[in-house]
């Protein structure tokens, strides 16, 4: 089936979220005089990311607001250190200020978007909040590729892998799901979710060494291979 539109995830697909969050928390902890409380910088980053992986799904499930999950993560992190602060919200804001000066897109993003825009409509479907994600896209200079075709779970009311948010993304492009590809870095939420919603699913696994197919999801190691993968088909992995 001909692909006429492509929807993307943002974090760790277009924008190197993991690297940016690492830079942000290490800068913040150093400024707060807390980094030396950990055995290593890696240990500090691991705890910060572990708490995010535990609390962020509660936001996606509607148990916490977007800012609520930030607060809970902060409180748990500080409790682990045995540190009390006057305002945990302000503490997180200082972390965010360190992080937000470090946003960067992966090197393959800009050339891939320029190439893909020649033949396909481009859009975003993200499990996050709209203002937050638009800020990232603007910070790395790729927001113009997507225009108004940016859909986030906070505003939509459902999160990936719910088929409805994929279908709503297709509607933003004015295309049926079978003519739309979805590209994301998580096999289950992005790859299987898009596949089950009737889109052509691509799992961006930057640790892979070749293009292949896994459970009906095309695996690509780089966005540089996306166009050729859907144009020529791919070999089973």
């Amino acid at each position: 089936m001909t692909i006429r539109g492509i929807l993307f995830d943002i974090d760790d697909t277009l924008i190197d979220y993991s690297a940016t969050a690492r830079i942000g928390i290490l800068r913040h902890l150093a400024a707060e005089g807390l980094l030396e409380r950990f055995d290593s910088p890696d240990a500090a980053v691991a705890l910060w990311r572990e708490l995010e992986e535990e609390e962020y799904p509660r936001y996606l499930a509607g148990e916490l607001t977007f800012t609520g999950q930030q607060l809970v993560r902060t409180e748990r992190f500080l409790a682990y250190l045995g540190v009390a602060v006057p305002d945990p919200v302000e503490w997180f804001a200082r972390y965010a200020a360190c992080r937000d000066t470090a946003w960067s897109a992966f090197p393959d993003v800009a050339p891939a978007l320029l190439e893909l825009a020649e033949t396909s409509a481009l859009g975003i479907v993200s499990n996050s909040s709209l203002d937050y994600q638009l800020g990232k896209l603007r910070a790395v200079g790729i927001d113009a590729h997507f225009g108004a075709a940016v859909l986030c779970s906070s505003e939509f009311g459902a999160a990936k892998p719910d088929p409805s948010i994929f279908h709503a993304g297709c509607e933003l492009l004015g295309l049926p799901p079978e003519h739309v590809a979805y590209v994301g870095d998580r096999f289950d939420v992005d790859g299987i979710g898009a596949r089950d919603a009737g889109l052509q699913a691509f799992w961006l696994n930057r640790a892979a060494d070749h293009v292949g197919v896994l459970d009906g999801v095309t695996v690509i190691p780089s966005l540089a291979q996306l166009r050729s993968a859907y144009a020529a088909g791919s070999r089973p992995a």
Side-chain angles (χ1 to χ4, degrees), residues 20-21 23-24 27 93-104 135 139-140:
T20 304
I23 291 169
R27 285 178 179 173
R94 292 195 295 275
Y95 153 71
C98 293
R99 177 200 62 198
D100 292 352
T101 60
W103 292 122
S104 63
V140 301

Side-chain angles (χ1 to χ4, degrees), residues 185-220:
D185 69 295
R186 299 205 172 202
F187 179 72
D188 51 354
V189 172
D190 296 322
I192 298 299
R195 181 203 68 184
D196 290 351
L199 286 74
Q200 299 190 50
F202 291 81
W203 175 32
L204 178 59
N205 177 9
R206 296 182 183 277
D209 58 6
H210 67 282
V211 175
V213 177
L214 180 63
D215 292 340
V217 177
T218 302
V219 185
I220 55 173

Side-chain angles (χ1 to χ4, degrees), residues 9 56 59-60 125-129 152-153 158-161 165 189:
D9 173 53
Y56 201 79
Y59 149 66
L60 295 177
V125 171
S126 172
N127 279 357
S128 191
S129 70
C152 290
S153 59
K160 300 176 297 183
I165 193 168
V189 172

Side-chain angles (χ1 to χ4, degrees), residues 156-173:
F156 179 69
K160 300 176 297 183
D162 190 302
S164 65
I165 193 168
F166 290 106
H167 294 160
C170 294
E171 290 175 9
L172 282 179
L173 299 183

Side-chain angles (χ1 to χ4, degrees), residues 6 12 16 62 84 96 102 128 154 159 165 179 196 219:
I6 306 169
D12 287 327
D16 194 346
S128 191
S154 279
I165 193 168
H179 287 293
D196 290 351
V219 185

